[in-house]
Amino acid sequence: MAPLDALREEAAALDAADALAHFRAEFHLPPRADGSPTVYLCGNSLGLQPRETREDLLAELDDWARLGVDGHFEARTPWFDYHQALKPGLARICGATEDEVTSMAGLTTSLHALLVSFYAPRGRRRKILLEGGAFPSDRYALASHARLHGHDPADALVELQPRPGESLLRRQDVLDRIEALGDDLALVMLGGVHYYTGQLHDIAAITAAGHAVGAKVGWDLAHAAGNVPLQLHDWDADFAAFCSYKYLNAGPGSAAGVFVHERWGDAPELQRLAGWWGNDAASRFSMPAQFVPARGADGWQQSNAPVFTMAPIRTSLRLFDRATMPALRAKSLALTGLLERSIAAVVPAGKATLITPCDPSQRGCQLSLEVPERGEALHRALAEAGVVCDFRRPSVIRMAPVPLYNRFDDVVRVAEVFARLLG
Ligand SMILES: *Cc1c(COP(=O)(O)O)cnc(C)c1O
């Protein structure tokens, strides 16, 4: 059988047997010009809108219209502690206790709030270990904290690079680097899943290595939250933050998620950028002159809850709770595995190379495909065929089949375009 025919058959069988298939109908799939749905593989950049989001947002608008200021305590979900409604779902996404998670601000802003507490250079212990080619916002944030403490980022920031000729970081190289930095290392902050290569790091092992030399270890989980199962409490991370608009489908610019390990939940010695919403809820409105931090991650909040960007997070977390992370991960492994095999089946060797790890335990759903020639033309052809994915210069196409709303048939559609253009 021709490879594409075999793939069509396999995908049809997988879709027919998919216990999560009905979740696709819970989302708005952007239509093509002819009204048919696009093959949306861009959930790593902006997740799709769940159908129930509109109703949940309208409920908040209605409460505001009906109650005005009284909505703080009398809305169906009182705005005073709106973030409480997100905790159970966020805790399950993070593998954390409810005390350890909260929602606030944006991702970069949340990282700044956490870095003030967890980057505390002293003497020679001032280095920050990050990935070379880290997401620019993370790099800017880390460099600004180095400067804030009077250090030159060129000295304080240590960037991990793959070995020459390789595009991924080897786990052992990361661990060795941490050990070599030893007493110089103040903080390790990496992306759990790298935004460009799709590499999933061994969060537990890297965290343990950082702690072994006396450093703090934090994670940017923008590309990991809602994509791969996380056990942040057991993995012992000091802190983490993630946006809610990628795999968590909460809409552009929605509030970020924050994790602070229980051992720091009640640690007055940590510096913080305090604000009234991080104050103990019991005394918040008696406006004490002295800041009394709330226990747990909530103590890092600053401003009152951005309800209109938190309501869509609730909607999304409800879907995750219904589907459950283990079931989503199982489908994700199958979806991404099929995409990988399809590419291998229709693309001649040398025309395109996967830079994402082949080992499924070292990646989430995203595959990054390096196309040395005509990458942009291929990306355009994918768009014309109704496939939404992105192209990163100089030569990488990123595709993220998302188990909540993508079908196995979507993968075949991609393979058809690859076969036509590269086969
Ligand atoms: C998406 C992403 C961001 C975006 O930050 P915002 O503050 O939400 O704009 C930051 N870091 C990483 C690693 C990302 O993937």
Side-chain angles (χ1 to χ4, degrees):
M1 208 186 320
L4 275 174
D5 290 332
L7 286 171
R8 281 189 197 101
E9 263 187 29
E10 184 178 356
L14 287 166
D15 278 325
D18 176 12
L20 299 178
H22 62 282
F23 280 100
R24 181 177 168 86
E26 305 267 357
F27 289 85
H28 290 286
L29 289 146
R32 305 178 61 188
D34 68 2
S36 65
T38 51
V39 173
Y40 194 83
L41 301 182
C42 234
N44 55 339
S45 187
L46 186 76
L48 292 180
Q49 183 187 136
R51 290 185 182 276
E52 289 178 359
T53 302
R54 178 179 300 261
E55 201 179 307
D56 288 335
L57 260 176
L58 284 174
E60 300 308 332
L61 284 171
D62 287 344
D63 281 357
W64 180 26
R66 198 164 52 84
L67 299 165
V69 70
D70 290 338
H72 281 303
F73 294 98
E74 289 167 24
R76 281 163 279 184
T77 307
W79 306 326
F80 173 76
D81 53 7
Y82 199 89
H83 61 280
Q84 295 287 351
L86 309 183
K87 279 173 172 277
L90 287 177
R92 281 187 281 274
I93 291 288
C94 290
T97 68
E98 292 184 23
D99 260 3
E100 288 175 319
V101 292
T102 197
S103 177
M104 60 189 259
L107 170 55
T108 308
T109 311
S110 298
L111 284 173
H112 277 301
L114 293 162
L115 287 169
V116 159
S117 305
F118 292 104
Y119 178 58
R122 255 179 216 90
R124 60 182 284 196
R125 194 184 284 285
R126 60 170 186 275
K127 303 273 190 195
I128 303 174
L129 187 68
L130 71 159
E131 293 149 303
F135 194 87
S137 201
D138 298 28
R139 195 178 189 292
Y140 304 154
L142 291 169
S144 67
H145 282 267
R147 270 190 227 101
L148 195 62
H149 289 277
H151 300 308
D152 178 0
D155 165 63
L157 267 49
V158 179
E159 300 190 22
L160 289 160
Q161 299 291 356
R163 295 185 182 192
E166 300 185 3
S167 41
L168 301 169
L169 291 170
R170 297 194 193 187
R171 176 177 175 278
Q172 194 58 46
D173 289 353
V174 179
L175 302 180
D176 291 348
R177 193 66 179 276
I178 290 171
E179 202 189 337
L181 284 162
D183 290 345
D184 291 343
L185 191 60
L187 173 71
V188 179
M189 197 184 100
L190 305 179
V193 172
H194 192 271
Y195 82 99
Y196 186 78
T197 65
Q199 179 174 21
L200 166 61
H201 289 298
D202 187 337
I203 296 178
I206 293 172
T207 301
H211 289 166
V213 299
K216 302 283 197 306
V217 185
W219 294 89
D220 183 329
L221 299 177
H223 283 264
N227 179 15
V228 293
L230 298 168
Q231 291 298 336
L232 296 181
H233 177 87
D234 290 346
W235 294 344
D236 215 26
D238 292 297
F239 69 92
F242 49 91
C243 52
S244 59
Y245 50 79
K246 290 171 179 160
Y247 296 107
L248 292 179
N249 308 314
S254 278
V258 159
F259 165 88
V260 176
H261 198 278
E262 169 180 273
R263 73 178 153 280
W264 301 117
D266 190 10
E269 74 274 17
L270 291 181
Q271 291 290 347
R272 310 190 190 207
L273 295 180
W276 72 322
W277 231 253
N279 196 86
D280 182 16
S283 61
R284 187 181 297 151
F285 279 155
S286 58
M287 307 276 185
Q290 186 75 30
F291 174 71
V292 183
R295 268 194 33 207
D298 288 349
W300 272 262
Q301 292 184 306
Q302 296 169 357
S303 293
N304 71 91
V307 167
F308 298 128
T309 82
M310 285 182 172
I313 303 177
R314 280 181 82 191
T315 315
S316 170
L317 291 173
R318 237 175 17 235
L319 289 171
F320 274 87
D321 279 341
R322 276 171 52 203
T324 75
M325 230 20 241
L328 287 167
R329 176 61 169 169
K331 177 176 174 186
S332 178
L333 290 170
L335 258 180
T336 298
L338 183 67
L339 179 59
E340 181 179 31
R341 282 190 288 116
S342 308
I343 293 168
V346 304
V347 177
K351 292 262 174 120
T353 317
L354 221 51
I355 60 169
T356 307
C358 301
D359 173 1
S361 72
Q362 291 181 52
R363 68 188 185 200
C365 69
Q366 174 187 324
L367 292 183
S368 302
L369 190 67
E370 179 135 64
V371 188
E373 283 166 42
R374 301 207 305 140
E376 261 169 311
L378 179 62
H379 180 243
R380 259 198 313 280
L382 285 165
E384 278 158 21
V387 178
V388 182
C389 56
D390 67 14
F391 179 75
R392 293 277 153 152
R393 280 167 201 278
S395 54
V396 163
I397 291 177
R398 299 189 309 169
M399 295 165 287
V402 169
L404 268 174
Y405 48 75
N406 283 118
R407 298 183 294 200
F408 291 91
D409 178 63
D410 291 343
V411 171
V412 178
R413 299 266 300 278
V414 176
E416 285 166 355
V417 181
F418 282 150
R420 187 150 50 77
L421 270 257
L422 299 176

